[in-house]
Amino acid sequence: MADPSLHSSESETARNHHPAAVFLRGIAMGAADIVPGVSGGTIAFITGIYFRLLEAINAVPGAVYRHLVRGRFRAFWLDCDGSFLVCLLAGILASIASLASAISYVLVAYPILIWSFFFGLIVASVWHVGRQVRHYKPALLVPLLSGIAIAWWITTLSASQVSPSALAFFGAGALAICAMILPGISGSFILVIIGMYAPVLAAIKSLDVGILLLFMAGCVVGLLSIARLITWAFHHFHDLVLALLTGFMIGALNKVWPWKETLSWRVNSSGDKVPLNEASISPWTFAEQSGQDPQVLFAVLMAVVGFGLVLLVEWIGFRRGDASLAR
């Protein structure tokens, strides 16, 4: 049985989410997971389904043993919140399949504006997650600063190249999903670091079923492991975990900073030359080095839009919660 305290950070009406609303959240999570530096876990957290997702994932192994192997399909479905998981997964897969090419294009065509939008989104997410802490105390500075340091360090790692063998795709899936489920840690960026982002994205675009099944098998193994660990951590160290996750998101801002200096390049699956390793620089240094307009005004506007989007999602969540209580 799930601990009710896990749901303190979410609306009490989480179980009443309409399937279409869950599907849309899945689309948002899938779109975020495609982009290196943005976490689908962050989207799940700010849209109020994070703990429900953890609870549903944790219920699957037990539901398989108690119900599925004995032919009790309805009991299995209800026990693991099957409708929720299917709607969410459908949204994630639909988003990844349909938006992979589009997001790849806009990141190349409008990098400053798109990264600015994500920057504002994550800043607002920092504020949102930080507010879920129950008791603020000086001791929380330790996990907060640790999270900032770890995430910042990860964003500065040099990308490498892994031979895309079957084992590499399976391992990449397990590693990436562990990062994706954590707010503030980007699974896509982990793939970039280990050199598997381009091979996985190419497999998605070409619908290479064999490779994708290996990747998804790794995701399942990693997800069942990390979800139970996160749930246990929230049970026992709620505020410490939230402080750590807040630190992760603050540190991750280095990756989504809009103005970058390219340190090295790589050739992608289409034969195009794209940045491999980058470092954050000021807009004015960017203008001097590249000779391009840093688009500061529009960048700020896009960051405000990203920030406002999170506030809008939170406001809608509160409105629905109030409406439910009124009924």
Side-chain angles (χ1 to χ4, degrees):
M1 195 72 179
D3 185 341
S5 67
L6 267 181
H7 300 274
S8 62
S9 302
E10 293 188 334
S11 168
E12 292 298 326
T13 61
R15 288 253 168 217
N16 297 325
H17 283 139
H18 191 277
V22 175
F23 180 78
L24 290 175
R25 286 166 168 82
I27 288 178
M29 287 179 65
D33 283 332
I34 294 173
V35 181
V38 184
S39 169
T42 300
I43 302 299
F45 204 105
I46 65 177
T47 56
I49 61 170
Y50 187 70
F51 294 115
R52 184 179 179 183
L53 176 59
L54 290 180
E55 180 184 346
I57 293 169
N58 287 330
V60 170
V64 170
Y65 174 75
R66 287 192 305 271
H67 304 301
L68 191 59
V69 297
R70 301 176 186 180
R72 298 199 289 256
F73 299 106
R74 177 172 172 77
F76 165 78
W77 191 257
L78 294 175
D79 211 19
C80 65
D81 205 359
S83 297
F84 167 77
L85 284 179
V86 168
C87 288
L88 189 67
L89 182 61
I92 291 172
L93 294 178
S95 179
I96 291 175
S98 60
L99 297 178
S101 297
I103 290 179
S104 298
Y105 168 76
V106 296
L107 283 174
V108 172
Y110 310 101
I112 293 176
L113 300 184
I114 300 304
W115 286 119
S116 296
F117 172 78
F118 289 133
F119 191 91
L121 192 89
I122 294 177
V123 168
S125 301
V126 168
W127 173 78
H128 176 87
V129 174
R131 288 178 60 219
Q132 313 305 321
V133 174
R134 294 169 181 163
H135 306 290
Y136 294 98
K137 48 191 176 184
L140 294 180
L141 285 175
V142 175
L144 176 68
L145 295 177
S146 298
I148 294 173
I150 292 170
W152 191 281
W153 172 71
I154 290 175
T155 65
T156 60
L157 292 177
S158 296
S160 61
Q161 291 295 327
V162 175
S163 177
S165 62
L167 184 60
F169 278 101
F170 180 86
L175 187 61
I177 200 68
C178 289
M180 287 176 183
I181 201 67
L182 285 171
I185 301 293
S186 167
S188 294
F189 185 60
I190 297 298
L191 292 178
V192 169
I193 291 172
I194 65 174
M196 289 297 293
Y197 182 74
V200 170
L201 199 60
I204 293 171
K205 290 179 180 178
S206 62
L207 291 179
D208 191 329
V209 177
I211 291 298
L212 292 178
L213 285 176
L214 280 170
F215 184 78
M216 289 173 65
C219 289
V220 170
V221 172
L223 190 58
L224 291 176
S225 304
I226 192 67
R228 190 163 296 277
L229 177 61
I230 296 173
T231 302
W232 176 86
F234 267 110
H235 273 304
H236 296 87
F237 310 103
H238 182 273
D239 285 359
L240 292 176
V241 173
L242 284 176
L244 182 66
L245 295 181
T246 302
F248 282 161
M249 283 186 282
I250 294 174
L253 288 171
N254 181 50
K255 176 58 185 175
V256 296
W257 180 251
W259 298 278
K260 298 286 188 181
E261 174 188 11
T262 301
L263 304 177
S264 61
W265 301 80
R266 67 175 174 87
V267 178
N268 64 15
S269 57
S270 303
D272 299 322
K273 189 178 178 182
V274 294
L276 178 61
N277 295 311
E278 298 176 306
S280 299
I281 56 177
S282 72
W284 300 275
T285 303
F286 173 84
E288 292 175 2
Q289 292 186 357
S290 66
Q292 300 176 26
D293 181 5
Q295 300 175 281
V296 175
L297 182 59
F298 288 111
V300 171
L301 179 61
M302 289 300 291
V304 170
V305 170
F307 192 97
L309 182 61
V310 174
L311 297 186
L312 177 63
V313 168
E314 188 177 64
W315 178 77
I316 291 173
F318 277 127
R319 288 273 301 203
R320 288 183 174 176
D322 291 342
S324 176
L325 289 173
R327 289 196 296 272

